[in-house]
Structures are given as C-alpha cells and as structure tokens.
Amino acid sequence: MRAGQYLAAGGIALILAAANMSARADTTDVKAWDVLRIEKTGTHCADDTNCMNRLHPAIEPVAFAKPGQHLVFETRDALDSDFDLNSQPEDVTAADLNLVHPMTGPVHIEGAKRGDVLAVTLLDIKPDQYGYTVIVPGFGFLRDRYTEPFIANWKLTRVEAVSDEIPGVAIPFNGFMGSVGVLPGEPELENILAREAALQSAGGVVLTPEPTSALPSEVCGPEGTHKDECLRTIPPRENGGNMDVKQMQIGTTLLLPCFVDGCGLFIGDVHYAQGDGEVSGTAIEMGAEVTVATEIRRGEAAQVKVPHFEGGDELKRLAPSEFYATTGFPLKEQGEVPVFSTYLDGEKIGPLENLSEDLTLAARNALVALIDWMVEEKGLTPQQAYVVASVAADLRIGQLVDVPNYTVSAIIPTTIFRE
C-alpha cells in the first residue's frame, strides 16, 4: 500500500473515532446516583397533591423511595405566601396563618418499620432567589413589644442575602430544613392530643386541630375523616417537625424515630439563615430544593425516642469570625408578669423583681439588650434590629447552676454589618 493509501485509511479511522466519541456523553451526563424528585405543582399547597400542612398517621404517602436514593424535595415557603420583593407590612396582616406550614410529602421509605430509626443526611439546599422575614402581630418572642407588622424582602444567592428594607446588612447563606420529620403513630397522636389539651385547659398557648385550610382536605379538612385529630405543624414534637435547629446544616445526619411503617418523611419551611432563637417568629423564609439521602437503622427507636442529629465540622463553619454579645439574667420590674408566664400564678410572680432559674426571662433580657445595642450603635430601627436578631443572633445558655440567676448570652456576628 502506498503512503497516500495509508493516509487515506488513517483519515477514515480518525473520522470514525471522532464520530464514536461524539456519540458518548460528557461528564455532565454521567449519573452516579439514583434520584427521586418529589415535585411541587401549582401555585400553592392546595393545588399540589404532594403537599400537606397537617400531621396524621392516616395521611397517604405521595411517593415511595428506597434507602440510599437521593431524594429531592421541592418545597414552599413557611406561610405558603404570595409575597415578593414589593411586599408591604399590610400584606403580612393579610396572610392566612391556617396555611402554615406547607410540607412536601409524606414519602414512604421502603423497608422502614415502626421502631426503626430513619437517618436523614442533608446533602444540598438550592435556595430560591427570594426570601422574607416578617413580624406577625401576636407572634414571636417579643410579641408584647412588637405589635405592628413588618416585612424584610431578601434577595438571595448561594453567598448572601440583602434587603432594601434593612440596608447595610448582608446575611451569609447557612441553609437548613426548618421543618423535617415523620408521621406520628396512633399512640403518639393520642398522647399528643391529650397533653396539649391539658396544657390549653391550664391556660397555656396551644394550637389545637383546625380544619380550616387544612391539607390533605380528605383527611384533615372541614369534611375530613380525621378533622379533629390532625396536628398543627407549628410546634415540634417527638416525630420532629418544626424544630428550627440551624445546626442541622448540610452534611449533618438527622435521626428520627419511626412511628409508622415507611416512616412518612416530610420536609418544608426551609431557612436561608436563622439565629438561634428565631426570635421574631421567622427566619429568612424561602422555597428551595432540598436533597437528602436516607438510611434505616433497625430497632434503634428504643434509644432514639426524640430527634437526635450528628455530624462533623459543620458547627465550626457557623462560628462568627467577629462578634458582639450581651447577657441576660432573670430580672424584671416589680409588678410585671412576663408575657410567657401569664398563664401561671401572676399573683406570686408579679411582685417579684427576680425569678428563680428562669431561662426564658434571661434570654428575653439578653435579646432586648442586643436590640438596643443595634439601634444605638448600628442605626437600625427597633423593628429592623428585631428582624436582624431573628436571622443572625444566637441565644446561648451560659450556665444553669448559679441559682437563682441563670445566664443567657445574645451573640451577633458583626461581619454582617456593611458600611
């Protein structure tokens, strides 16, 4: 064969090789994991068959997943709202709190049984571009001091959040699942309803079952089969739910006792960022895509009776590089009955200036002092400072032994303040 023929043959070989390579996928198309997506459809939870806002063991699963699969939950914001970057305080007043919280799920984990523990590892959170923090009259840790509605509309990236309503503040992205849990079983449901009814009869603040706007409607709505038993999602319980623990960061694993076969995993109320305490009643609330993986730990619910969680160096990443802090003790004005104690014996509490071993009052005093510092030193209004504390300040227990005055600190990272 002459040289030209060799070149011709070689050229054909190169062309064939190139054609074969073009038919192969690049690395973007190489899939390493089996992924199940639990999608949201429609504008609100009421339009979405994969969404619920109440808890009951009779709620049917919306999907079935295998342990080890990557589950992508498409979630809605905590208020199932119509808020946007132009929302105003009057929009907060108009919000329907019966819609709290829209949860994506429940998902049946194949092979999981009552008595097992479901280990849920948080792999990723993809934030929406918009989030909000609100002050709702009558709700929040300082609800007696902040009685007017307020909203901060946040522009979100995977780096930081900024708001025109609070100029000069940038909050770093530290996303986590505000609400994540499993369905309660029948014995747990019976116990929860009984104990919360007893607390309500004693004058405590309890959100009892409310069928208005409850979903799924066929179970929990006004004509639902269990309308008087469906639990509200606002308080967390032994099945998890609205725990609002910001340390449950990407990379950590949440351990949930399983109370029904399949567990009934649900996720929602995702937070872009939050301070320990979520003191205004909201964090930076957002819709998001949440990716988790699950593992079944057989029979471990005998030890893990309420949610536990584990991880590595995630807590180090939350630590501020610069901070300012205030402290609080259980002190008050003579004659004052703290708002959180009004259901107790006010005749005994009222005359005292010092309460014994009262962490709540100590936390309140530390928070008030920190808000006052932000108003004086950073030029924020009281409402702006309350919101900043809710999304960025950490209430930390100092000691629980120096009776009668326990110590709580309120810590704010000063790097969030921009010139």
Side-chain angles (χ1 to χ4, degrees):
M1 186 179 289
R2 292 192 297 251
Q5 290 174 311
Y6 278 118
L7 289 173
I12 293 171
L14 287 171
I15 292 171
L16 290 173
N20 184 52
M21 290 179 63
S22 66
R24 295 176 60 189
D26 68 6
T27 56
T28 304
D29 296 316
V30 177
K31 305 302 181 185
W33 304 104
D34 182 11
V35 178
L36 174 64
R37 180 175 290 269
I38 302 93
E39 298 179 342
K40 62 179 180 182
T41 58
T43 306
H44 295 289
C45 191
D47 311 313
D48 190 350
T49 57
N50 289 341
C51 188
M52 63 180 187
N53 58 24
R54 300 293 190 274
L55 302 176
H56 193 280
I59 297 175
E60 295 291 333
V62 301
F64 291 79
K66 295 180 176 63
Q69 275 186 304
H70 285 197
L71 309 181
V72 180
F73 287 76
E74 298 183 1
T75 69
R76 302 176 185 276
D77 69 274
L79 298 180
D80 201 8
S81 74
D82 289 314
F83 296 156
D84 59 29
L85 288 168
N86 298 312
S87 291
Q88 299 296 315
E90 54 266 27
D91 299 320
V92 176
T93 306
D96 181 1
L97 299 185
N98 284 322
L99 301 176
V100 176
H101 299 87
M103 297 289 121
T104 302
V107 174
H108 181 103
I109 307 301
E110 296 178 7
K113 302 291 184 182
R114 177 179 172 89
D116 292 337
V117 160
L118 187 67
V120 182
T121 299
L122 179 57
L123 300 176
D124 186 46
I125 290 178
K126 179 183 177 183
D128 285 355
Q129 294 184 28
Y130 167 75
Y132 60 84
T133 308
V134 296
I135 300 173
V136 178
F139 188 65
F141 192 40
L142 301 182
R143 56 191 177 275
D144 55 321
R145 285 177 167 249
Y146 294 88
T147 58
E148 298 297 321
F150 180 84
I151 186 167
N153 299 300
W154 300 94
K155 302 170 186 175
L156 311 179
T157 69
R158 281 187 180 255
V159 178
E160 63 184 19
V162 295
S163 171
D164 292 343
E165 286 75 29
I166 312 180
V169 170
I171 306 298
F173 177 44
N174 285 305
F176 68 99
M177 302 172 287
S179 294
V180 52
V182 294
L183 293 179
E186 290 288 353
E188 291 72 35
L189 177 68
E190 182 179 350
N191 182 53
I192 289 167
L193 290 170
R195 76 191 184 205
E196 292 184 358
L199 177 58
Q200 184 186 44
S201 67
V205 179
V206 177
L207 295 170
T208 55
E210 171 52 67
T212 304
S213 303
L215 298 168
S217 58
E218 64 272 17
V219 178
C220 301
E223 306 299 324
T225 55
H226 299 82
K227 63 178 183 178
D228 298 322
E229 298 176 348
C230 291
L231 301 176
R232 297 300 302 270
T233 61
I234 290 179
R237 303 176 179 92
E238 49 266 52
N239 65 305
N242 190 32
M243 295 177 284
D244 291 327
V245 177
K246 78 172 192 176
Q247 287 77 16
M248 294 179 184
Q249 288 282 310
I250 294 170
T252 62
T253 297
L254 172 64
L255 307 178
L256 294 165
C258 192
F259 298 112
V260 299
D261 290 350
C263 300
L265 177 65
F266 62 85
I267 294 174
D269 180 33
V270 182
H271 294 174
Y272 181 92
Q274 179 201 292
D276 279 332
E278 197 188 15
V279 291
S280 81
T282 54
I284 297 182
E285 309 289 341
M286 65 175 182
E289 289 186 7
V290 179
T291 303
V292 301
T294 64
E295 173 196 358
I296 300 169
R297 300 189 182 180
R298 297 291 180 197
E300 291 192 11
Q303 292 77 42
V304 181
K305 298 178 180 180
V306 296
H308 297 185
F309 64 106
E310 61 191 19
D313 64 354
E314 291 82 11
L315 303 191
K316 294 179 182 179
R317 298 201 298 265
L318 292 174
S321 57
E322 300 175 10
F323 70 90
Y324 188 88
T326 56
T327 60
F329 308 104
L331 308 176
K332 66 178 186 65
E333 295 292 331
Q334 189 175 37
E336 175 190 359
V337 178
V339 63
F340 50 85
S341 297
T342 53
Y343 77 102
L344 299 174
D345 183 2
E347 292 184 5
K348 183 176 289 187
I349 293 173
L352 299 173
E353 294 182 29
N354 205 148
L355 300 187
S356 180
E357 305 176 65
D358 194 321
L359 272 176
T360 306
L361 183 56
R364 178 184 172 91
N365 289 338
L367 174 62
V368 169
L370 183 64
I371 289 172
D372 289 345
W373 178 82
M374 285 191 280
V375 169
E376 292 296 323
E377 297 296 326
K378 300 301 179 181
L380 301 181
T381 68
Q383 284 186 315
Q384 289 174 327
Y386 188 32
V387 164
V388 169
S390 193
V391 303
D394 292 333
L395 292 172
R396 299 287 180 87
I397 297 171
Q399 53 82 18
L400 293 169
V401 293
D402 296 338
V403 293
N405 292 339
Y406 290 170
T407 307
V408 174
S409 298
I411 305 170
I412 191 79
T414 52
T415 50
I416 67 173
F417 300 107
R418 307 289 171 83
E419 295 299 328

Coordinates of all heavy atoms in Angstrom, one line a residue, residues 226-291:
H226 N -60.6 12.8 59.7 CA -59.9 13.0 61.0 C -59.7 14.4 61.3 O -58.7 14.8 61.8 CB -58.6 12.2 61.0 CG -58.7 10.8 60.8 ND1 -58.7 10.2 59.6 CD2 -58.7 9.7 61.7 CE1 -58.8 8.9 59.7 NE2 -58.8 8.6 61.0
K227 N -60.7 15.3 61.0 CA -60.6 16.7 61.0 C -60.3 17.2 62.4 O -59.6 18.3 62.6 CB -61.8 17.4 60.5 CG -63.1 17.1 61.3 CD -64.3 17.9 60.8 CE -65.5 17.6 61.7 NZ -66.7 18.4 61.1
D228 N -60.7 16.5 63.5 CA -60.5 16.9 64.9 C -59.2 16.3 65.5 O -59.0 16.5 66.7 CB -61.7 16.6 65.7 CG -63.0 17.3 65.3 OD1 -62.9 18.4 64.8 OD2 -64.0 16.6 65.3
E229 N -58.4 15.7 64.7 CA -57.2 15.0 65.2 C -55.9 15.4 64.5 O -54.8 15.1 65.0 CB -57.3 13.5 65.1 CG -58.5 12.9 65.8 CD -58.6 11.4 65.6 OE1 -58.0 10.9 64.6 OE2 -59.4 10.7 66.3
C230 N -56.0 16.1 63.4 CA -54.8 16.5 62.6 C -54.0 17.5 63.3 O -54.5 18.6 63.7 CB -55.2 16.9 61.2 SG -55.9 15.6 60.2
L231 N -52.8 17.3 63.6 CA -51.9 18.2 64.4 C -51.4 19.3 63.5 O -51.1 19.2 62.3 CB -50.7 17.4 64.9 CG -51.0 16.2 65.8 CD1 -49.7 15.5 66.1 CD2 -51.7 16.6 67.0
R232 N -51.4 20.5 64.1 CA -50.8 21.7 63.5 C -49.3 21.5 63.4 O -48.7 20.8 64.3 CB -51.1 22.9 64.3 CG -52.5 23.3 64.4 CD -53.2 23.5 63.0 NE -52.4 24.6 62.3 CZ -52.8 25.9 62.3 NH1 -53.8 26.3 63.1 NH2 -52.1 26.8 61.6
T233 N -48.6 22.1 62.5 CA -47.2 21.9 62.2 C -46.3 22.9 63.0 O -45.1 22.8 62.9 CB -46.9 22.0 60.7 OG1 -47.2 23.3 60.3 CG2 -47.6 20.9 60.0
I234 N -46.9 23.9 63.7 CA -46.1 24.9 64.3 C -45.2 24.4 65.4 O -44.0 24.7 65.4 CB -47.0 26.1 64.8 CG1 -47.5 26.8 63.5 CG2 -46.2 27.0 65.6 CD1 -48.4 28.0 63.9
P235 N -45.7 23.6 66.4 CA -44.7 23.1 67.4 C -44.0 21.8 66.9 O -44.7 20.9 66.3 CB -45.7 22.8 68.6 CG -47.0 22.5 68.0 CD -47.1 23.3 66.7
P236 N -42.8 21.7 67.3 CA -42.1 20.4 67.0 C -42.5 19.4 68.1 O -43.0 19.8 69.2 CB -40.6 20.7 67.1 CG -40.6 21.9 68.1 CD -41.9 22.6 67.9
R237 N -42.4 18.1 67.8 CA -42.7 17.1 68.8 C -41.7 15.9 68.6 O -40.7 16.0 67.9 CB -44.2 16.6 68.5 CG -45.2 17.7 68.6 CD -46.6 17.2 68.3 NE -47.6 18.3 68.4 CZ -48.0 19.0 67.4 NH1 -47.4 18.9 66.2 NH2 -49.0 19.9 67.5
E238 N -42.0 14.8 69.2 CA -41.1 13.6 69.2 C -40.9 13.1 67.8 O -39.9 12.4 67.5 CB -41.5 12.5 70.1 CG -43.0 12.1 70.0 CD -43.9 12.9 71.0 OE1 -43.8 14.1 71.1 OE2 -44.6 12.2 71.8
N239 N -41.8 13.4 66.9 CA -41.7 13.0 65.5 C -40.9 14.0 64.6 O -40.8 13.9 63.4 CB -43.0 12.8 64.8 CG -43.8 14.1 64.7 OD1 -44.0 14.7 65.7 ND2 -44.3 14.4 63.5
G240 N -40.3 15.0 65.3 CA -39.6 16.0 64.6 C -40.5 17.2 64.2 O -41.2 17.7 65.1
G241 N -40.5 17.6 63.0 CA -41.3 18.7 62.5 C -40.6 20.0 62.6 O -39.4 20.1 62.2
N242 N -41.2 21.1 63.1 CA -40.8 22.4 63.0 C -39.7 22.7 64.1 O -40.0 23.5 65.0 CB -41.9 23.4 63.2 CG -41.6 24.8 62.9 OD1 -40.7 25.1 62.1 ND2 -42.2 25.7 63.5
M243 N -38.6 22.0 64.1 CA -37.6 22.1 65.1 C -36.7 23.4 65.0 O -36.2 23.9 66.0 CB -36.7 20.9 65.1 CG -37.4 19.6 65.4 SD -36.3 18.1 65.3 CE -36.2 17.9 63.5
D244 N -36.5 23.9 63.8 CA -35.8 25.2 63.6 C -34.4 25.2 64.3 O -34.0 26.2 64.9 CB -36.6 26.4 64.1 CG -37.9 26.6 63.3 OD1 -37.8 26.4 62.1 OD2 -38.9 27.1 63.9
V245 N -33.7 24.1 64.1 CA -32.3 24.0 64.6 C -31.3 24.3 63.5 O -31.1 23.5 62.6 CB -32.1 22.6 65.2 CG1 -30.7 22.5 65.8 CG2 -33.1 22.3 66.4
K246 N -30.7 25.4 63.6 CA -29.8 25.8 62.5 C -28.6 25.0 62.4 O -27.9 25.0 61.3 CB -29.5 27.3 62.6 CG -28.4 27.7 63.6 CD -28.0 29.1 63.4 CE -26.7 29.5 64.2 NZ -26.3 30.8 63.9
Q247 N -28.2 24.3 63.4 CA -27.0 23.4 63.4 C -27.3 22.2 62.5 O -26.3 21.5 62.2 CB -26.6 23.0 64.8 CG -26.0 24.1 65.6 CD -27.0 25.1 66.2 OE1 -28.2 24.8 66.2 NE2 -26.5 26.2 66.6
M248 N -28.5 21.9 62.1 CA -28.8 20.8 61.2 C -28.4 21.2 59.8 O -29.2 21.3 58.9 CB -30.2 20.4 61.3 CG -30.6 19.8 62.6 SD -32.4 19.3 62.7 CE -32.6 18.8 64.4
Q249 N -27.1 21.5 59.6 CA -26.6 22.0 58.3 C -26.4 20.9 57.3 O -26.4 19.7 57.6 CB -25.3 22.7 58.6 CG -25.4 24.0 59.4 CD -25.9 25.2 58.5 OE1 -25.3 25.4 57.4 NE2 -26.9 25.9 58.9
I250 N -26.0 21.4 56.1 CA -25.7 20.4 55.0 C -24.5 19.6 55.5 O -23.5 20.2 56.0 CB -25.3 21.2 53.7 CG1 -26.5 21.9 53.2 CG2 -24.7 20.3 52.7 CD1 -26.3 22.9 52.1
G251 N -24.6 18.3 55.4 CA -23.6 17.4 55.9 C -23.9 16.7 57.2 O -23.3 15.6 57.5
T252 N -24.9 17.2 57.9 CA -25.3 16.5 59.1 C -26.4 15.5 58.9 O -27.0 15.5 57.8 CB -25.9 17.5 60.2 OG1 -27.0 18.2 59.6 CG2 -24.8 18.6 60.5
T253 N -26.5 14.6 59.8 CA -27.5 13.5 59.7 C -28.5 13.5 60.8 O -28.1 13.5 62.0 CB -26.8 12.1 59.7 OG1 -25.9 12.0 58.5 CG2 -27.8 11.0 59.6
L254 N -29.7 13.6 60.5 CA -30.8 13.7 61.5 C -31.4 12.3 61.7 O -31.6 11.5 60.8 CB -31.9 14.6 61.0 CG -33.3 14.7 61.7 CD1 -33.0 15.3 63.1 CD2 -34.3 15.5 61.0
L255 N -31.5 12.0 63.0 CA -32.0 10.6 63.4 C -33.5 10.8 63.9 O -33.7 11.5 64.9 CB -31.2 10.0 64.5 CG -29.7 9.9 64.1 CD1 -28.9 9.3 65.3 CD2 -29.4 9.1 62.8
L256 N -34.4 10.2 63.2 CA -35.8 10.3 63.5 C -36.4 9.0 63.9 O -36.3 8.0 63.1 CB -36.6 10.9 62.3 CG -36.3 12.3 61.9 CD1 -36.9 12.6 60.5 CD2 -36.9 13.3 62.9
P257 N -37.0 8.8 65.1 CA -37.7 7.6 65.4 C -38.9 7.4 64.5 O -39.6 8.3 64.1 CB -38.2 7.8 66.9 CG -38.2 9.3 67.0 CD -37.2 9.9 66.1
C258 N -39.1 6.2 64.0 CA -40.1 5.8 63.0 C -41.3 5.3 63.8 O -41.2 4.3 64.5 CB -39.5 4.8 62.1 SG -40.5 4.6 60.6
F259 N -42.5 6.0 63.6 CA -43.7 5.6 64.3 C -44.7 4.9 63.5 O -45.7 4.3 64.0 CB -44.3 6.9 64.9 CG -43.4 7.6 65.9 CD1 -42.9 8.8 65.6 CD2 -43.1 6.9 67.1 CE1 -42.1 9.4 66.5 CE2 -42.3 7.6 68.0 CZ -41.8 8.8 67.7
V260 N -44.6 4.9 62.1 CA -45.4 4.2 61.2 C -44.6 3.4 60.2 O -43.5 3.9 59.9 CB -46.5 5.1 60.5 CG1 -47.4 5.8 61.5 CG2 -45.7 6.1 59.6
D261 N -45.0 2.3 59.7 CA -44.3 1.6 58.7 C -44.1 2.6 57.5 O -45.0 3.2 57.0 CB -45.0 0.4 58.2 CG -45.0 -0.7 59.3 OD1 -44.2 -0.5 60.3 OD2 -45.7 -1.7 59.2
G262 N -42.8 2.7 57.0 CA -42.5 3.6 55.9 C -42.1 5.0 56.4 O -41.6 5.8 55.7
C263 N -42.3 5.2 57.7 CA -42.0 6.5 58.4 C -42.8 7.7 58.0 O -43.2 8.5 58.8 CB -40.5 6.8 58.3 SG -39.4 5.5 58.9
G264 N -43.0 7.9 56.7 CA -43.7 9.1 56.2 C -42.9 10.4 56.3 O -43.2 11.3 57.0
L265 N -41.7 10.4 55.7 CA -40.8 11.6 55.7 C -41.4 12.8 55.0 O -41.9 12.7 53.9 CB -39.5 11.2 55.1 CG -38.4 12.2 55.0 CD1 -37.9 12.7 56.4 CD2 -37.2 11.7 54.2
F266 N -41.3 13.9 55.7 CA -41.7 15.2 55.0 C -40.7 16.3 55.3 O -40.0 16.2 56.3 CB -43.1 15.6 55.6 CG -43.2 15.9 57.0 CD1 -42.8 17.1 57.6 CD2 -43.6 14.9 57.9 CE1 -42.9 17.3 58.9 CE2 -43.6 15.1 59.3 CZ -43.3 16.3 59.8
I267 N -40.6 17.3 54.4 CA -39.7 18.4 54.5 C -40.3 19.6 54.1 O -41.1 19.6 53.1 CB -38.4 18.1 53.7 CG1 -37.6 16.9 54.3 CG2 -37.5 19.3 53.6 CD1 -36.4 16.5 53.4
G268 N -40.0 20.7 54.7 CA -40.5 22.1 54.3 C -40.0 23.2 55.1 O -39.0 23.0 55.9
D269 N -40.5 24.4 55.0 CA -40.2 25.5 55.9 C -38.6 25.7 55.9 O -38.0 25.8 56.9 CB -40.7 25.2 57.3 CG -40.3 26.3 58.3 OD1 -40.3 27.5 57.9 OD2 -40.1 26.0 59.5
V270 N -38.0 25.7 54.7 CA -36.6 25.8 54.6 C -36.1 27.2 54.9 O -36.7 28.2 54.5 CB -36.1 25.4 53.2 CG1 -34.6 25.4 53.1 CG2 -36.6 24.0 52.9
H271 N -35.0 27.3 55.7 CA -34.5 28.6 56.1 C -33.2 28.9 55.4 O -32.3 28.1 55.4 CB -34.3 28.7 57.6 CG -35.5 28.6 58.4 ND1 -35.6 28.5 59.7 CD2 -36.8 28.6 58.0 CE1 -36.8 28.4 60.1 NE2 -37.6 28.5 59.1
Y272 N -33.1 30.1 54.8 CA -31.8 30.5 54.2 C -30.8 30.8 55.3 O -29.6 30.5 55.1 CB -32.1 31.8 53.4 CG -30.8 32.4 52.7 CD1 -30.6 32.0 51.4 CD2 -30.0 33.3 53.3 CE1 -29.4 32.5 50.7 CE2 -28.9 33.8 52.7 CZ -28.6 33.4 51.4 OH -27.5 33.9 50.8
A273 N -31.2 31.4 56.4 CA -30.4 31.7 57.5 C -31.3 31.9 58.7 O -32.4 32.4 58.6 CB -29.4 32.8 57.3
Q274 N -30.7 31.7 59.9 CA -31.5 31.9 61.1 C -30.6 32.1 62.3 O -29.5 31.4 62.4 CB -32.5 30.8 61.4 CG -33.3 30.9 62.6 CD -33.9 29.6 63.1 OE1 -34.7 29.0 62.5 NE2 -33.4 29.1 64.3
G275 N -30.9 32.9 63.3 CA -30.2 32.9 64.5 C -30.8 31.9 65.5 O -32.0 31.5 65.3
D276 N -30.0 31.4 66.4 CA -30.5 30.5 67.4 C -31.6 31.3 68.3 O -31.3 32.2 69.0 CB -29.4 30.1 68.4 CG -28.6 28.9 67.8 OD1 -29.1 28.2 67.0 OD2 -27.4 28.8 68.1
G277 N -32.8 30.9 68.1 CA -34.0 31.5 68.7 C -35.1 31.9 67.8 O -36.2 31.9 68.1
E278 N -34.7 32.3 66.5 CA -35.7 32.7 65.5 C -36.7 33.7 66.2 O -37.9 33.5 66.1 CB -36.4 31.5 64.9 CG -37.1 31.8 63.6 CD -38.0 30.7 63.1 OE1 -38.2 29.7 63.8 OE2 -38.4 30.8 61.9
V279 N -36.2 34.7 66.8 CA -36.9 35.4 67.8 C -38.1 36.2 67.3 O -39.1 36.4 68.0 CB -36.0 36.3 68.6 CG1 -35.1 35.5 69.5 CG2 -35.2 37.3 67.7
S280 N -38.1 36.7 66.1 CA -39.2 37.4 65.6 C -40.4 36.5 65.2 O -41.5 37.0 64.9 CB -38.9 38.3 64.4 OG -38.8 37.6 63.2
G281 N -40.1 35.2 65.1 CA -41.1 34.2 64.7 C -40.8 33.7 63.3 O -41.3 32.6 62.9
T282 N -39.9 34.3 62.6 CA -39.5 33.8 61.3 C -38.0 34.0 61.1 O -37.4 34.9 61.7 CB -40.2 34.6 60.1 OG1 -40.0 36.0 60.3 CG2 -41.7 34.2 60.1
A283 N -37.4 33.1 60.2 CA -36.0 33.3 59.8 C -36.0 34.0 58.4 O -37.0 34.8 58.2 CB -35.4 31.9 59.7
I284 N -35.0 33.8 57.6 CA -35.2 34.1 56.2 C -35.9 33.0 55.5 O -35.3 31.9 55.3 CB -33.8 34.5 55.5 CG1 -33.2 35.7 56.2 CG2 -34.0 34.7 54.0 CD1 -31.9 36.1 55.5
E285 N -37.2 33.1 55.3 CA -38.0 32.0 54.8 C -38.0 32.0 53.3 O -37.9 33.0 52.6 CB -39.5 32.3 55.3 CG -39.7 32.5 56.8 CD -39.4 31.3 57.6 OE1 -39.5 30.2 57.1 OE2 -39.2 31.5 58.8
M286 N -38.0 30.8 52.8 CA -37.9 30.7 51.3 C -38.4 29.3 50.8 O -38.5 28.4 51.6 CB -36.4 30.8 50.9 CG -35.5 29.7 51.4 SD -33.8 29.8 50.7 CE -33.1 28.3 51.5
G287 N -38.7 29.2 49.6 CA -38.8 27.9 48.9 C -37.5 27.5 48.5 O -36.5 28.3 48.3
A288 N -37.3 26.1 48.3 CA -36.0 25.6 48.0 C -36.1 24.2 47.4 O -37.2 23.6 47.5 CB -35.1 25.6 49.2
E289 N -35.0 23.7 46.9 CA -34.9 22.3 46.5 C -33.9 21.7 47.6 O -32.8 22.2 47.7 CB -34.3 22.1 45.1 CG -35.3 22.5 44.0 CD -34.8 22.1 42.6 OE1 -33.7 21.5 42.6 OE2 -35.4 22.5 41.7
V290 N -34.4 20.7 48.2 CA -33.6 20.0 49.3 C -33.3 18.6 48.9 O -34.2 17.8 48.5 CB -34.4 20.0 50.6 CG1 -33.6 19.3 51.7 CG2 -34.8 21.4 51.0
T291 N -32.0 18.2 48.9 CA -31.6 16.9 48.6 C -31.1 16.2 49.8 O -30.3 16.7 50.6 CB -30.5 16.9 47.5 OG1 -30.9 17.6 46.4 CG2 -30.1 15.5 47.1

